Amino acid sequence: MEKFRLANALGDHMVLQRDVPVRLWGKGAAEGDVIYAVLGPYEAWGQVDETLTWELYLPPMPANTVPQRLQLSDGTDQITAEDVLIGDVWVINGQSNAELTMQSANSNGKGIYDEEMQDIFSKDNIRVIKQQRCHATDHPECMLVPQFDLPEPQKSSWRIIAGKEDILDMSAMGFFFAKKLSRTMQASVPLGIVSAASGGSPMMELIMPELVAPMGYTKPEKENIPLAGIYNALMAPLQKMTIKGMLFYQGESEQWRYQAYPYQLKWYVEELRRRFETDFPFYYVQISSHCGPGIEQWKKIEEVRYAQYKMLGLLENCHMIVSMDVGGREENADWAHPPYKKPVGERAALCVLANEYGVGNIEYAASPVPCCWRFDEDAVTVHFDYVGDGLTLLSGEKLTGFEAAGADGKYKKVRGRIVSEDTVIFKGVKEPVTLRYAYMHVADAEHANLGSSTGMPCAAFEIFKEDDGLLH
């Protein structure tokens, strides 16, 4: 017999989303039971339906750093959730570079974050709940259909980030993202970091079951992970949560499907927004560089980056974080997971602060991207957004990393000259029809050196004469 309870994605130490109605949900003992919820001065009620589930919406609440007690009753039994804060909830989704822990990043980087890991305290008001791949694979039955509850609540309940030991298994990207937000806002808005990332997962594992057939998938890539399996086990139990936004890092597994990737990712985000009941801002990482065996492992990484750039023109309220300049190095033992997640997380945080919190200016926070262009007989003129005080070289004395091609499709390096704060003219190919940047596996600042005045690297991109000249 089912008992009255909260869904196990909710509980002690959780952060609830501020300023909007907040959905709570759970199981009930009997159909028709009325569920009452009280959190400080706020009250709400809901009713158990024929599936013995219930949900209700607390009214909008301002940010609150003072721990609260959530009380719920079905008229017979009472349950509580202690130490609840009101703030902003951010979801981290993707594959292994989203999942990569602080402990692993620090080890692979030979102690580069030793000091950072000591500089975190409970007063930063960061709370975490983590789902990871092994929680799904250890419970294969949970991957077959969308789950109501987390598969391993004892390992993935909400917890307070109060010191080094608390962040060892936290997403490194998520840690630096949350820390930058918290410190910038002086911990005035509690942060809930909800991690649901799965190492090695392609889109076919991350998407909902309803999208499998429309996307053309007929069989899984791995025998032990069914189509939509990771979504069913890790994301479905979270889809009723009220959130602020999402940070996404995935793409290496799409190298042989890069042409479909931007459209599939768009579809996935649109469906997530429908289920989370909000047009949340979507911040995603244009994937990093990889050295050593990674060059052979991911032969089409350049194409994936271009597919990710294309997303900017397909989906509203999405923003791309460039990371190709902080990719793996030869000295990193783990060639698949660049340890340099601090700049990735902090770049995401700077964009979020500017866009979502009104702190800073997105023109200075984001990486340059083409906004309009013109192809002439012997030149290509490109105008860029997000240049800060003006475009600049991140290394050397000449622009590097640009190639153009004519109608024959043969690419040739071209000369670039910054002619104004936001404009570059490229020459070197007669009657060009396409221009591309950073078409290389290791796209560091030495080989692709265009950036903004704040040091933000330009995104890898490819543009065409046949386009209308406008990305947005």
Side-chain angles (χ1 to χ4, degrees):
M1 180 180 176
E2 191 63 71
K3 293 183 178 180
F4 168 52
R5 63 179 179 86
L6 277 168
N8 64 12
L10 307 172
D12 296 343
H13 315 304
M14 66 181 169
V15 175
L16 297 179
Q17 181 59 43
R18 63 177 174 141
D19 297 339
V20 295
V22 175
R23 179 162 53 179
L24 303 178
W25 71 101
K27 293 284 190 177
E31 182 180 354
D33 283 356
V34 176
I35 311 301
Y36 294 93
V38 178
L39 181 64
Y42 304 98
E43 300 179 356
W45 68 275
Q47 195 165 22
V48 179
D49 65 18
E50 67 277 6
T51 66
L52 296 186
T53 62
W54 57 266
E55 60 182 59
L56 55 82
Y57 290 81
L58 288 168
M61 301 171 285
N64 194 341
T65 60
V66 178
Q68 305 285 310
R69 171 182 290 173
L70 172 66
Q71 298 175 296
L72 300 108
S73 172
D74 67 352
T76 301
D77 296 318
Q78 292 188 348
I79 54 177
T80 61
E82 303 289 349
D83 187 31
V84 177
L85 300 182
I86 313 300
D88 285 340
V89 179
W90 287 90
V91 175
I92 294 178
N93 191 213
Q95 55 184 110
S96 57
N97 275 294
E99 184 182 19
L100 184 71
T101 66
M102 278 297 295
Q103 185 172 36
S104 295
N106 195 49
S107 175
N108 192 27
K110 300 180 179 179
I112 56 174
Y113 298 133
D114 282 346
E115 292 185 10
E116 291 277 1
M117 294 172 74
Q118 300 292 341
D119 183 29
I120 190 72
F121 308 98
S122 59
K123 66 182 180 182
D124 289 307
N125 285 327
I126 299 171
R127 310 286 179 87
V128 172
I129 183 171
K130 179 181 178 181
Q131 289 268 71
Q132 60 191 47
R133 186 179 186 84
C134 65
H135 295 171
T137 55
D138 289 349
H139 300 273
E141 72 282 0
C142 291
M143 294 189 285
L144 300 178
V145 296
Q147 298 297 299
F148 183 87
D149 281 315
L150 307 177
E152 291 202 8
Q154 69 277 13
K155 295 181 180 180
S156 56
S157 57
W158 283 92
R159 68 179 191 270
I160 302 169
I161 299 301
K164 177 181 177 180
E165 294 302 315
D166 301 310
I167 65 170
L168 292 177
D169 70 340
M170 183 179 177
S171 160
M173 178 179 69
F175 169 74
F176 288 113
F177 171 75
K179 184 177 177 181
K180 183 69 173 178
L181 290 185
S182 176
R183 296 288 170 88
T184 302
M185 297 186 294
Q186 299 180 324
S188 61
V189 178
L191 297 170
I193 304 300
V194 180
S195 184
S198 170
S201 283
M203 287 300 294
M204 67 176 70
E205 296 174 5
L206 298 176
I207 59 174
M208 308 77 176
E210 294 84 353
L211 296 186
V212 169
M215 288 188 183
Y217 293 120
T218 57
K219 61 180 181 179
E221 192 172 90
K222 307 176 188 71
E223 289 185 2
N224 66 327
I225 308 287
L227 295 171
I230 297 300
Y231 176 86
N232 288 340
L234 303 189
M235 185 62 83
L238 305 171
Q239 68 184 12
K240 290 182 181 291
M241 193 171 284
T242 305
I243 67 170
K244 176 72 172 180
M246 176 176 285
L247 184 56
F248 185 84
Y249 191 145
Q250 193 265 353
E252 291 91 345
S253 293
E254 308 308 317
Q255 66 168 333
W256 305 115
R257 296 176 290 269
Y258 66 85
Q259 291 170 318
Y261 183 44
Y263 304 100
Q264 292 188 349
L265 186 54
K266 171 182 180 288
W267 204 344
Y268 173 60
V269 175
E270 288 175 338
E271 182 60 21
L272 281 177
R273 286 173 171 172
R274 187 185 70 80
R275 296 180 184 218
F276 280 108
E277 296 186 345
T278 178
D279 182 26
F280 61 79
F282 180 69
Y283 291 81
Y284 66 102
V285 178
Q286 190 178 45
I287 56 177
S288 293
S289 301
H290 297 274
C291 291
I295 295 175
E296 183 65 24
Q297 176 75 14
W298 293 300
K299 296 179 179 179
K300 296 286 186 179
I301 201 168
E302 305 94 332
E303 302 289 359
V304 175
R305 290 196 192 111
Y306 288 170
Q308 292 176 318
Y309 162 75
K310 191 172 185 178
M311 262 285 288
L312 290 174
L314 296 177
L315 184 69
E316 294 293 327
N317 200 14
C318 77
H319 315 272
M320 188 170 71
I321 312 302
V322 176
S323 73
M324 63 188 181
D325 62 318
V326 290
R329 302 172 186 171
E330 293 293 346
E331 65 264 26
N332 301 143
D334 181 356
W335 51 266
H337 305 105
Y340 312 105
K341 293 297 187 283
K342 181 177 180 178
V344 180
E346 290 192 344
R347 287 172 186 176
L350 287 172
C351 290
V352 164
L353 285 164
N355 285 332
E356 316 303 333
Y357 297 93
V359 178
N361 186 331
I362 193 62
E363 186 67 22
Y364 292 84
S367 285
V369 293
C371 59
C372 58
W373 51 86
R374 186 180 72 248
F375 283 77
D376 296 315
E377 183 177 348
D378 64 348
V380 183
T381 302
V382 184
H383 302 275
F384 292 84
D385 280 335
Y386 315 126
V387 302
D389 290 326
L391 293 166
T392 190
L393 305 184
L394 300 179
S395 70
E397 298 180 353
K398 296 181 179 180
L399 281 174
T400 59
F402 290 92
E403 300 173 303
D408 61 2
K410 295 180 179 179
Y411 282 90
K412 177 183 177 182
K413 291 182 179 180
V414 291
R415 305 179 305 276
R417 182 167 62 94
I418 300 173
V419 297
S420 72
E421 66 178 24
D422 68 347
T423 305
V424 185
I425 295 178
F426 301 94
K427 292 186 176 182
V429 171
K430 287 289 185 180
E431 298 183 348
V433 298
T434 182
L435 176 79
R436 68 187 186 186
Y437 176 62
Y439 190 83
M440 60 192 74
H441 205 99
V442 179
D444 55 21
E446 178 184 351
H447 299 95
N449 66 351
L450 182 62
S452 71
S453 65
T454 55
M456 292 298 176
C458 180
F461 68 85
E462 186 175 29
I463 56 177
F464 301 91
K465 182 178 181 179
E466 65 189 35
D467 294 337
D468 62 6
L470 295 174
L471 175 63
H472 303 294

PDB file of all heavy atoms in Angstrom, residues 34-59:
ATOM      1  N   VAL A  34      -6.785  15.129   0.412  1.00  0.00           N
ATOM      2  CA  VAL A  34      -6.351  16.510   0.201  1.00  0.00           C
ATOM      3  C   VAL A  34      -5.020  16.719   0.913  1.00  0.00           C
ATOM      4  O   VAL A  34      -4.881  16.398   2.099  1.00  0.00           O
ATOM      5  CB  VAL A  34      -7.401  17.503   0.716  1.00  0.00           C
ATOM      6  CG1 VAL A  34      -6.888  18.938   0.581  1.00  0.00           C
ATOM      7  CG2 VAL A  34      -8.702  17.330  -0.058  1.00  0.00           C
ATOM      8  N   ILE A  35      -4.040  17.252   0.166  1.00  0.00           N
ATOM      9  CA  ILE A  35      -2.701  17.480   0.702  1.00  0.00           C
ATOM     10  C   ILE A  35      -2.537  18.972   0.988  1.00  0.00           C
ATOM     11  O   ILE A  35      -2.749  19.814   0.114  1.00  0.00           O
ATOM     12  CB  ILE A  35      -1.615  17.030  -0.302  1.00  0.00           C
ATOM     13  CG1 ILE A  35      -1.902  15.605  -0.821  1.00  0.00           C
ATOM     14  CG2 ILE A  35      -0.241  17.130   0.333  1.00  0.00           C
ATOM     15  CD1 ILE A  35      -1.963  14.557   0.259  1.00  0.00           C
ATOM     16  N   TYR A  36      -2.170  19.291   2.208  1.00  0.00           N
ATOM     17  CA  TYR A  36      -1.929  20.677   2.617  1.00  0.00           C
ATOM     18  C   TYR A  36      -0.426  20.875   2.815  1.00  0.00           C
ATOM     19  O   TYR A  36       0.253  20.022   3.402  1.00  0.00           O
ATOM     20  CB  TYR A  36      -2.664  20.992   3.917  1.00  0.00           C
ATOM     21  CG  TYR A  36      -4.164  20.965   3.796  1.00  0.00           C
ATOM     22  CD1 TYR A  36      -4.876  19.801   4.086  1.00  0.00           C
ATOM     23  CD2 TYR A  36      -4.865  22.095   3.383  1.00  0.00           C
ATOM     24  CE1 TYR A  36      -6.259  19.758   3.969  1.00  0.00           C
ATOM     25  CE2 TYR A  36      -6.253  22.067   3.269  1.00  0.00           C
ATOM     26  CZ  TYR A  36      -6.936  20.901   3.561  1.00  0.00           C
ATOM     27  OH  TYR A  36      -8.304  20.862   3.435  1.00  0.00           O
ATOM     28  N   ALA A  37       0.074  22.005   2.348  1.00  0.00           N
ATOM     29  CA  ALA A  37       1.493  22.331   2.503  1.00  0.00           C
ATOM     30  C   ALA A  37       1.623  23.712   3.126  1.00  0.00           C
ATOM     31  O   ALA A  37       0.886  24.641   2.769  1.00  0.00           O
ATOM     32  CB  ALA A  37       2.201  22.299   1.158  1.00  0.00           C
ATOM     33  N   VAL A  38       2.563  23.842   4.047  1.00  0.00           N
ATOM     34  CA  VAL A  38       2.839  25.119   4.703  1.00  0.00           C
ATOM     35  C   VAL A  38       4.350  25.320   4.732  1.00  0.00           C
ATOM     36  O   VAL A  38       5.101  24.439   5.173  1.00  0.00           O
ATOM     37  CB  VAL A  38       2.287  25.164   6.139  1.00  0.00           C
ATOM     38  CG1 VAL A  38       2.635  26.495   6.799  1.00  0.00           C
ATOM     39  CG2 VAL A  38       0.782  24.943   6.143  1.00  0.00           C
ATOM     40  N   LEU A  39       4.793  26.485   4.263  1.00  0.00           N
ATOM     41  CA  LEU A  39       6.196  26.861   4.315  1.00  0.00           C
ATOM     42  C   LEU A  39       6.256  28.311   4.782  1.00  0.00           C
ATOM     43  O   LEU A  39       5.977  29.228   4.009  1.00  0.00           O
ATOM     44  CB  LEU A  39       6.872  26.706   2.957  1.00  0.00           C
ATOM     45  CG  LEU A  39       8.362  27.040   2.889  1.00  0.00           C
ATOM     46  CD1 LEU A  39       9.173  26.074   3.754  1.00  0.00           C
ATOM     47  CD2 LEU A  39       8.875  27.001   1.454  1.00  0.00           C
ATOM     48  N   GLY A  40       6.569  28.510   6.061  1.00  0.00           N
ATOM     49  CA  GLY A  40       6.524  29.862   6.612  1.00  0.00           C
ATOM     50  C   GLY A  40       5.111  30.412   6.480  1.00  0.00           C
ATOM     51  O   GLY A  40       4.136  29.758   6.852  1.00  0.00           O
ATOM     52  N   PRO A  41       4.945  31.598   5.887  1.00  0.00           N
ATOM     53  CA  PRO A  41       3.611  32.181   5.739  1.00  0.00           C
ATOM     54  C   PRO A  41       2.867  31.695   4.498  1.00  0.00           C
ATOM     55  O   PRO A  41       1.745  32.122   4.243  1.00  0.00           O
ATOM     56  CB  PRO A  41       3.911  33.680   5.624  1.00  0.00           C
ATOM     57  CG  PRO A  41       5.251  33.737   4.966  1.00  0.00           C
ATOM     58  CD  PRO A  41       6.016  32.550   5.490  1.00  0.00           C
ATOM     59  N   TYR A  42       3.460  30.780   3.750  1.00  0.00           N
ATOM     60  CA  TYR A  42       2.886  30.370   2.474  1.00  0.00           C
ATOM     61  C   TYR A  42       2.173  29.029   2.608  1.00  0.00           C
ATOM     62  O   TYR A  42       2.680  28.093   3.236  1.00  0.00           O
ATOM     63  CB  TYR A  42       3.980  30.294   1.405  1.00  0.00           C
ATOM     64  CG  TYR A  42       4.741  31.591   1.258  1.00  0.00           C
ATOM     65  CD1 TYR A  42       5.980  31.763   1.888  1.00  0.00           C
ATOM     66  CD2 TYR A  42       4.215  32.652   0.524  1.00  0.00           C
ATOM     67  CE1 TYR A  42       6.686  32.957   1.772  1.00  0.00           C
ATOM     68  CE2 TYR A  42       4.904  33.857   0.406  1.00  0.00           C
ATOM     69  CZ  TYR A  42       6.134  33.995   1.031  1.00  0.00           C
ATOM     70  OH  TYR A  42       6.813  35.181   0.925  1.00  0.00           O
ATOM     71  N   GLU A  43       1.000  28.942   1.989  1.00  0.00           N
ATOM     72  CA  GLU A  43       0.192  27.728   2.058  1.00  0.00           C
ATOM     73  C   GLU A  43      -0.284  27.330   0.663  1.00  0.00           C
ATOM     74  O   GLU A  43      -0.416  28.168  -0.234  1.00  0.00           O
ATOM     75  CB  GLU A  43      -1.033  27.942   2.958  1.00  0.00           C
ATOM     76  CG  GLU A  43      -0.693  28.317   4.383  1.00  0.00           C
ATOM     77  CD  GLU A  43      -1.929  28.537   5.227  1.00  0.00           C
ATOM     78  OE1 GLU A  43      -3.049  28.470   4.665  1.00  0.00           O
ATOM     79  OE2 GLU A  43      -1.790  28.786   6.439  1.00  0.00           O
ATOM     80  N   ALA A  44      -0.550  26.040   0.499  1.00  0.00           N
ATOM     81  CA  ALA A  44      -1.102  25.533  -0.763  1.00  0.00           C
ATOM     82  C   ALA A  44      -1.740  24.186  -0.486  1.00  0.00           C
ATOM     83  O   ALA A  44      -1.510  23.560   0.556  1.00  0.00           O
ATOM     84  CB  ALA A  44      -0.002  25.407  -1.821  1.00  0.00           C
ATOM     85  N   TRP A  45      -2.573  23.750  -1.432  1.00  0.00           N
ATOM     86  CA  TRP A  45      -3.160  22.423  -1.290  1.00  0.00           C
ATOM     87  C   TRP A  45      -3.322  21.766  -2.658  1.00  0.00           C
ATOM     88  O   TRP A  45      -3.352  22.426  -3.690  1.00  0.00           O
ATOM     89  CB  TRP A  45      -4.508  22.475  -0.568  1.00  0.00           C
ATOM     90  CG  TRP A  45      -5.606  23.155  -1.348  1.00  0.00           C
ATOM     91  CD1 TRP A  45      -5.876  24.482  -1.413  1.00  0.00           C
ATOM     92  CD2 TRP A  45      -6.568  22.503  -2.180  1.00  0.00           C
ATOM     93  NE1 TRP A  45      -6.944  24.723  -2.233  1.00  0.00           N
ATOM     94  CE2 TRP A  45      -7.394  23.519  -2.718  1.00  0.00           C
ATOM     95  CE3 TRP A  45      -6.820  21.174  -2.527  1.00  0.00           C
ATOM     96  CZ2 TRP A  45      -8.449  23.237  -3.587  1.00  0.00           C
ATOM     97  CZ3 TRP A  45      -7.871  20.897  -3.379  1.00  0.00           C
ATOM     98  CH2 TRP A  45      -8.668  21.913  -3.897  1.00  0.00           C
ATOM     99  N   GLY A  46      -3.375  20.450  -2.635  1.00  0.00           N
ATOM    100  CA  GLY A  46      -3.595  19.654  -3.840  1.00  0.00           C
ATOM    101  C   GLY A  46      -4.355  18.399  -3.473  1.00  0.00           C
ATOM    102  O   GLY A  46      -4.697  18.189  -2.299  1.00  0.00           O
ATOM    103  N   GLN A  47      -4.617  17.541  -4.454  1.00  0.00           N
ATOM    104  CA  GLN A  47      -5.428  16.359  -4.192  1.00  0.00           C
ATOM    105  C   GLN A  47      -4.811  15.139  -4.854  1.00  0.00           C
ATOM    106  O   GLN A  47      -4.265  15.209  -5.968  1.00  0.00           O
ATOM    107  CB  GLN A  47      -6.849  16.572  -4.719  1.00  0.00           C
ATOM    108  CG  GLN A  47      -7.869  15.579  -4.188  1.00  0.00           C
ATOM    109  CD  GLN A  47      -9.286  16.058  -4.438  1.00  0.00           C
ATOM    110  OE1 GLN A  47      -9.547  16.868  -5.315  1.00  0.00           O
ATOM    111  NE2 GLN A  47     -10.222  15.576  -3.623  1.00  0.00           N
ATOM    112  N   VAL A  48      -4.886  14.016  -4.173  1.00  0.00           N
ATOM    113  CA  VAL A  48      -4.372  12.757  -4.697  1.00  0.00           C
ATOM    114  C   VAL A  48      -5.278  12.275  -5.819  1.00  0.00           C
ATOM    115  O   VAL A  48      -6.507  12.214  -5.664  1.00  0.00           O
ATOM    116  CB  VAL A  48      -4.284  11.689  -3.584  1.00  0.00           C
ATOM    117  CG1 VAL A  48      -3.772  10.364  -4.142  1.00  0.00           C
ATOM    118  CG2 VAL A  48      -3.393  12.181  -2.449  1.00  0.00           C
ATOM    119  N   ASP A  49      -4.684  11.918  -6.965  1.00  0.00           N
ATOM    120  CA  ASP A  49      -5.483  11.490  -8.108  1.00  0.00           C
ATOM    121  C   ASP A  49      -5.587   9.969  -8.166  1.00  0.00           C
ATOM    122  O   ASP A  49      -5.157   9.256  -7.242  1.00  0.00           O
ATOM    123  CB  ASP A  49      -4.931  12.078  -9.410  1.00  0.00           C
ATOM    124  CG  ASP A  49      -3.535  11.556  -9.755  1.00  0.00           C
ATOM    125  OD1 ASP A  49      -3.117  10.513  -9.201  1.00  0.00           O
ATOM    126  OD2 ASP A  49      -2.860  12.184 -10.591  1.00  0.00           O
ATOM    127  N   GLU A  50      -6.150   9.462  -9.265  1.00  0.00           N
ATOM    128  CA  GLU A  50      -6.399   8.024  -9.380  1.00  0.00           C
ATOM    129  C   GLU A  50      -5.121   7.195  -9.464  1.00  0.00           C
ATOM    130  O   GLU A  50      -5.125   5.981  -9.251  1.00  0.00           O
ATOM    131  CB  GLU A  50      -7.280   7.734 -10.601  1.00  0.00           C
ATOM    132  CG  GLU A  50      -6.644   8.009 -11.954  1.00  0.00           C
ATOM    133  CD  GLU A  50      -6.749   9.481 -12.346  1.00  0.00           C
ATOM    134  OE1 GLU A  50      -7.216  10.297 -11.505  1.00  0.00           O
ATOM    135  OE2 GLU A  50      -6.384   9.803 -13.496  1.00  0.00           O
ATOM    136  N   THR A  51      -3.975   7.835  -9.803  1.00  0.00           N
ATOM    137  CA  THR A  51      -2.695   7.122  -9.840  1.00  0.00           C
ATOM    138  C   THR A  51      -1.978   7.170  -8.498  1.00  0.00           C
ATOM    139  O   THR A  51      -0.837   6.740  -8.381  1.00  0.00           O
ATOM    140  CB  THR A  51      -1.792   7.707 -10.926  1.00  0.00           C
ATOM    141  OG1 THR A  51      -1.418   9.047 -10.579  1.00  0.00           O
ATOM    142  CG2 THR A  51      -2.483   7.717 -12.283  1.00  0.00           C
ATOM    143  N   LEU A  52      -2.659   7.709  -7.485  1.00  0.00           N
ATOM    144  CA  LEU A  52      -2.109   7.878  -6.142  1.00  0.00           C
ATOM    145  C   LEU A  52      -0.897   8.808  -6.133  1.00  0.00           C
ATOM    146  O   LEU A  52       0.043   8.644  -5.343  1.00  0.00           O
ATOM    147  CB  LEU A  52      -1.756   6.531  -5.511  1.00  0.00           C
ATOM    148  CG  LEU A  52      -2.936   5.579  -5.267  1.00  0.00           C
ATOM    149  CD1 LEU A  52      -2.473   4.338  -4.515  1.00  0.00           C
ATOM    150  CD2 LEU A  52      -4.066   6.282  -4.504  1.00  0.00           C
ATOM    151  N   THR A  53      -0.923   9.779  -7.022  1.00  0.00           N
ATOM    152  CA  THR A  53       0.082  10.834  -6.999  1.00  0.00           C
ATOM    153  C   THR A  53      -0.613  12.172  -6.784  1.00  0.00           C
ATOM    154  O   THR A  53      -1.814  12.316  -7.040  1.00  0.00           O
ATOM    155  CB  THR A  53       0.893  10.892  -8.309  1.00  0.00           C
ATOM    156  OG1 THR A  53       0.019  11.185  -9.397  1.00  0.00           O
ATOM    157  CG2 THR A  53       1.594   9.570  -8.564  1.00  0.00           C
ATOM    158  N   TRP A  54       0.135  13.148  -6.316  1.00  0.00           N
ATOM    159  CA  TRP A  54      -0.413  14.471  -6.092  1.00  0.00           C
ATOM    160  C   TRP A  54       0.632  15.528  -6.453  1.00  0.00           C
ATOM    161  O   TRP A  54       1.844  15.250  -6.479  1.00  0.00           O
ATOM    162  CB  TRP A  54      -0.847  14.660  -4.632  1.00  0.00           C
ATOM    163  CG  TRP A  54       0.259  14.431  -3.631  1.00  0.00           C
ATOM    164  CD1 TRP A  54       0.546  13.271  -2.979  1.00  0.00           C
ATOM    165  CD2 TRP A  54       1.232  15.405  -3.201  1.00  0.00           C
ATOM    166  NE1 TRP A  54       1.637  13.437  -2.161  1.00  0.00           N
ATOM    167  CE2 TRP A  54       2.076  14.742  -2.271  1.00  0.00           C
ATOM    168  CE3 TRP A  54       1.480  16.735  -3.472  1.00  0.00           C
ATOM    169  CZ2 TRP A  54       3.149  15.380  -1.649  1.00  0.00           C
ATOM    170  CZ3 TRP A  54       2.531  17.391  -2.855  1.00  0.00           C
ATOM    171  CH2 TRP A  54       3.342  16.724  -1.957  1.00  0.00           C
ATOM    172  N   GLU A  55       0.151  16.695  -6.741  1.00  0.00           N
ATOM    173  CA  GLU A  55       1.044  17.836  -6.881  1.00  0.00           C
ATOM    174  C   GLU A  55       0.296  19.100  -6.473  1.00  0.00           C
ATOM    175  O   GLU A  55      -0.940  19.154  -6.511  1.00  0.00           O
ATOM    176  CB  GLU A  55       1.607  17.962  -8.293  1.00  0.00           C
ATOM    177  CG  GLU A  55       0.603  18.146  -9.398  1.00  0.00           C
ATOM    178  CD  GLU A  55       1.290  18.218 -10.756  1.00  0.00           C
ATOM    179  OE1 GLU A  55       1.988  17.254 -11.141  1.00  0.00           O
ATOM    180  OE2 GLU A  55       1.115  19.247 -11.452  1.00  0.00           O
ATOM    181  N   LEU A  56       1.043  20.083  -6.052  1.00  0.00           N
ATOM    182  CA  LEU A  56       0.471  21.369  -5.661  1.00  0.00           C
ATOM    183  C   LEU A  56       1.503  22.449  -5.929  1.00  0.00           C
ATOM    184  O   LEU A  56       2.676  22.165  -6.210  1.00  0.00           O
ATOM    185  CB  LEU A  56       0.048  21.354  -4.184  1.00  0.00           C
ATOM    186  CG  LEU A  56       1.104  20.971  -3.140  1.00  0.00           C
ATOM    187  CD1 LEU A  56       2.005  22.157  -2.777  1.00  0.00           C
ATOM    188  CD2 LEU A  56       0.431  20.429  -1.877  1.00  0.00           C
ATOM    189  N   TYR A  57       1.056  23.697  -5.879  1.00  0.00           N
ATOM    190  CA  TYR A  57       1.936  24.818  -6.185  1.00  0.00           C
ATOM    191  C   TYR A  57       1.942  25.815  -5.031  1.00  0.00           C
ATOM    192  O   TYR A  57       0.910  26.410  -4.708  1.00  0.00           O
ATOM    193  CB  TYR A  57       1.483  25.526  -7.457  1.00  0.00           C
ATOM    194  CG  TYR A  57       1.708  24.724  -8.716  1.00  0.00           C
ATOM    195  CD1 TYR A  57       0.805  23.730  -9.093  1.00  0.00           C
ATOM    196  CD2 TYR A  57       2.820  24.945  -9.515  1.00  0.00           C
ATOM    197  CE1 TYR A  57       1.003  22.983 -10.238  1.00  0.00           C
ATOM    198  CE2 TYR A  57       3.031  24.206 -10.668  1.00  0.00           C
ATOM    199  CZ  TYR A  57       2.119  23.227 -11.021  1.00  0.00           C
ATOM    200  OH  TYR A  57       2.320  22.482 -12.165  1.00  0.00           O
ATOM    201  N   LEU A  58       3.108  25.983  -4.419  1.00  0.00           N
ATOM    202  CA  LEU A  58       3.271  27.057  -3.462  1.00  0.00           C
ATOM    203  C   LEU A  58       3.302  28.388  -4.207  1.00  0.00           C
ATOM    204  O   LEU A  58       3.785  28.454  -5.339  1.00  0.00           O
ATOM    205  CB  LEU A  58       4.576  26.882  -2.685  1.00  0.00           C
ATOM    206  CG  LEU A  58       4.615  25.747  -1.655  1.00  0.00           C
ATOM    207  CD1 LEU A  58       6.053  25.507  -1.194  1.00  0.00           C
ATOM    208  CD2 LEU A  58       3.722  26.078  -0.454  1.00  0.00           C
ATOM    209  N   PRO A  59       2.810  29.462  -3.620  1.00  0.00           N
ATOM    210  CA  PRO A  59       2.821  30.759  -4.301  1.00  0.00           C
ATOM    211  C   PRO A  59       4.248  31.284  -4.441  1.00  0.00           C
ATOM    212  O   PRO A  59       5.172  30.790  -3.780  1.00  0.00           O
ATOM    213  CB  PRO A  59       1.991  31.649  -3.370  1.00  0.00           C
ATOM    214  CG  PRO A  59       2.106  31.013  -2.036  1.00  0.00           C
ATOM    215  CD  PRO A  59       2.190  29.536  -2.285  1.00  0.00           C
TER     216      PRO A  59
END
